[in-house]
Amino acid sequence: MSTRTAPSILITGCSSGIGRHCALGLAQRGWTVIASARKQEDVAQLALEGLSAIRLDLNDPDSIRDALEQTLELTGGRLDALFNNGAYGQPGAVEDLSRAVLRAQLETNLLGWHDLTCRVIPIMRRQGHGRIVQNSSILGFIPLPYRGAYVASKYALEGLTDTLRLELRGSGIKVSLIEPGPISSRFRANSRQVFRDNIDIEHSAHRDAYRRAEARLSKQGAAQPFTLPPDAVLKKLLHALESPRPKARYYVTLPTYLLGTLKRLLPTSAMDWVMAQVSRGGGG
């Protein structure tokens, strides 16, 4: 996109990991970055690092409205790009997910993103251009045992985003998905907390698998092979934002490429066997 002033972007989920790294990386590249986080202490820390930081709670429509108003005040009424990134992963077998727990996962990972995106689109339409980038996951097209809530949120995100991309053809607004595998972040620690809070581990038919999962979630350092730093996502994000022809999808990490290829080649029964081995080996 070509603007005379620095292009502007709103990023959600910037308290750590991918969001924080991408916010800092884009700012260094000359973008006007509005970094958002749910907790006020994280907003304060982002501001200390030199970013324009605002509070945005994806579970609260009023917070989303207010955050976008603040963003437009900071950018002079325009917004060149939106990077939806804020999310968490709720572990647990499908049969152990209460309706409330599943709803909470969808509120943050899907419905909050949808609300914010729908508010941003009219701004981009008036400008005649914009980029919307959704940080999905390898689990947006590959299921993994004990990740059902997160898988549901990302599968739904992929379908909604593909439809949106088709509907925005000719508008000047480009829509892309980024599909990372394992990335170094606080994601695993956050998942461990909601796992303990929301799943009745001891009374579940899956308690033995849960104990193994807890050991993985508690592990220090990379718990999975081929884990990459968040810079791997930043590189794909830059292409999605700055290329005249952004891709619809960007794979990140070897597991994404490998399992994406296997899914296209193998019958469902064979793919189920592969994912069962991945699950036993500690993937996901």
Side-chain angles (χ1 to χ4, degrees), residues 25-276:
L26 286 170
Q28 291 171 1
R29 196 172 173 87
W31 281 72
T32 297
V33 176
I34 312 302
S36 71
R38 180 173 58 88
K39 296 179 180 178
Q40 193 58 50
E41 56 264 35
D42 292 326
V43 173
Q45 180 59 41
L46 291 166
L48 287 175
E49 295 183 69
L51 294 167
S52 296
I54 60 173
R55 183 178 178 276
L56 193 161
D57 184 348
L58 289 165
N59 295 332
D60 182 353
D62 290 340
S63 175
I64 293 171
R65 179 201 62 214
D66 294 345
L68 184 55
E69 288 178 359
Q70 283 183 269
T71 296
L72 295 176
E73 289 173 5
L74 291 167
T75 64
R78 75 182 196 285
L79 190 62
D80 297 297
L82 168 66
F83 182 36
N84 278 315
N85 168 73
Y88 73 97
Q90 172 65 63
V94 170
E95 64 186 285
D96 290 336
L97 297 170
S98 70
R99 184 170 185 156
V101 167
L102 183 57
R103 181 185 291 117
Q105 179 80 106
L106 296 174
E107 282 288 348
T108 300
N109 291 16
L110 178 71
L111 300 179
W113 293 29
H114 174 67
D115 186 351
L116 178 57
T117 301
C118 289
R119 294 173 189 267
V120 164
I121 288 173
I123 299 164
M124 293 181 172
R125 282 191 182 277
R126 288 195 296 270
Q127 297 169 167
H129 73 270
R131 300 287 169 100
I132 297 169
V133 184
Q134 314 272 50
N135 195 26
S136 182
S137 168
I138 186 175
L139 298 186
F141 62 90
I142 296 285
L144 190 67
Y146 309 114
R147 299 293 190 277
Y150 187 72
V151 167
S153 72
K154 292 303 185 180
Y155 264 65
L157 174 68
E158 297 249 341
L160 204 63
T161 302
D162 282 339
T163 304
L164 179 63
R165 188 183 66 252
L166 293 171
E167 292 170 351
L168 291 178
R169 281 176 66 88
S171 69
I173 305 170
K174 307 294 186 182
V175 183
S176 299
L177 286 156
I178 298 178
E179 297 166 324
I183 299 292
S184 301
S185 71
R186 284 200 331 224
F187 192 84
R188 195 165 71 244
N190 295 336
S191 293
R192 182 187 181 196
Q193 187 59 53
V194 293
F195 182 42
R196 289 178 167 179
D197 290 346
N198 298 326
I199 301 297
D200 185 355
I201 296 172
E202 293 306 316
H203 295 94
S204 172
H206 300 273
R207 58 186 171 272
D208 291 339
Y210 285 164
R211 292 188 184 111
R212 294 193 296 272
E214 268 210 299
R216 291 197 299 272
L217 292 172
S218 302
K219 184 178 177 181
Q220 297 299 313
Q224 304 161 50
F226 310 110
T227 297
L228 293 180
D231 196 58
V233 176
L234 175 59
K235 290 175 181 176
K236 304 293 185 175
L237 176 60
L238 284 170
H239 190 276
L241 293 174
E242 297 181 351
S243 170
R245 292 188 177 183
K247 298 179 181 178
R249 279 178 167 74
Y250 293 87
Y251 282 5
V252 186
T253 74
L254 179 60
T256 308
Y257 284 97
L258 176 60
L259 293 175
T261 300
L262 290 177
K263 184 174 183 179
R264 290 193 296 271
L265 297 176
L266 296 179
T268 299
S269 58
M271 197 66 205
D272 284 353
W273 182 88
V274 169
M275 296 315 298

